[in-house]
Amino acid sequence: MPSLEDLLQKTSRTFALSIPVLPEPTRREVAVAYLLFRIADTFEDAAHWEPGARRAALAAFSELLGERRPGEAARRAADWSAARPSEHEGYRELIAEIPFVLEAFFALDPEAVEPIRAHVVRSAGGMAAFVSKTRDGRLTLSTLEDLRRYCYFVAGIVGEMLTELFLLERPALTVAAGDLRSRAATFGEALQLVNILKDSADDAREGRRYLPASVPVSEVFALARRDLEVAAAYTRLLQTAGAPRGIVEFCSLPAALAVATLDRVEAHGPGAKISRVAVFRIRQRVTRALDRGEPPVSGGGIGRPG
């Protein structure tokens, strides 16, 4: 039998690193939610499928989130697995394990189930709309507004959902709830823009051109940096409002890694990545900043305690 942790390790290096620091029950809720979003992403990214098949998969998957139907989930998962939606071994395994992930989803506290369901379904609907815009298996975004709208559906909504999970049963965060919600989608946009800039060459080879030809790449870099400033403010809000340390760390680490990745991609071009040693050092810096009560991510950069 699979485990949520095993599936996370096989589908996301960053989230497998950061989710374990969350307190329960948020840790399990976020793990399940991430895997559900990753399933939808896998269908959206299946460029070798006809657009109609991808939209149908997204719609059927959304329906499976409505009520527990293990037989239907098993049948759908078998059909999708046979159609090989991805060449990524971890993603293919995740599709095969949809029934397992759905069982974990329906076993969550009902107060967590509803926001997860609502946000995943909205994201899948937005993805389907962009799949409809593909031509000959290729998606090309034309304007900065198109890019930002795409980022909202695939990542901004994730930020909104995470915020709702953080707020569950934590009355101390009520005072910061409005400010957190107003920044949540931008935090998600920041991380997605960094990934798009990093992966732009690979995406282009696979038929996806997220960076609009009419927009200077420097403008996208500038937007990503402004968004990362908002992400830093979000983490500081959590910290000053007294959120559990694990939640602050969970948000700080991806933001800090995104800052370092953006610096490297801007210096060395698409495909540039930060090393495992750099990841370790960034995590240490975040930990030391949290130990001292300092901002773990600040000023568009990693908080560097002296």
Side-chain angles (χ1 to χ4, degrees), residues 45-58:
D45 288 341
H48 55 293
W49 285 10
E50 290 296 320
R54 293 156 69 188
R55 292 196 305 270
L58 287 164

Side-chain angles (χ1 to χ4, degrees), residues 194 221 225 228 256-269 272 274 300-302 304:
V194 172
F221 273 101
R225 292 199 182 280
L228 285 168
L257 292 172
V259 171
T261 299
L262 191 64
D263 288 342
R264 186 157 182 82
V265 173
E266 193 164 27
H268 300 283
I274 54 177
I302 305 161
R304 290 181 171 82

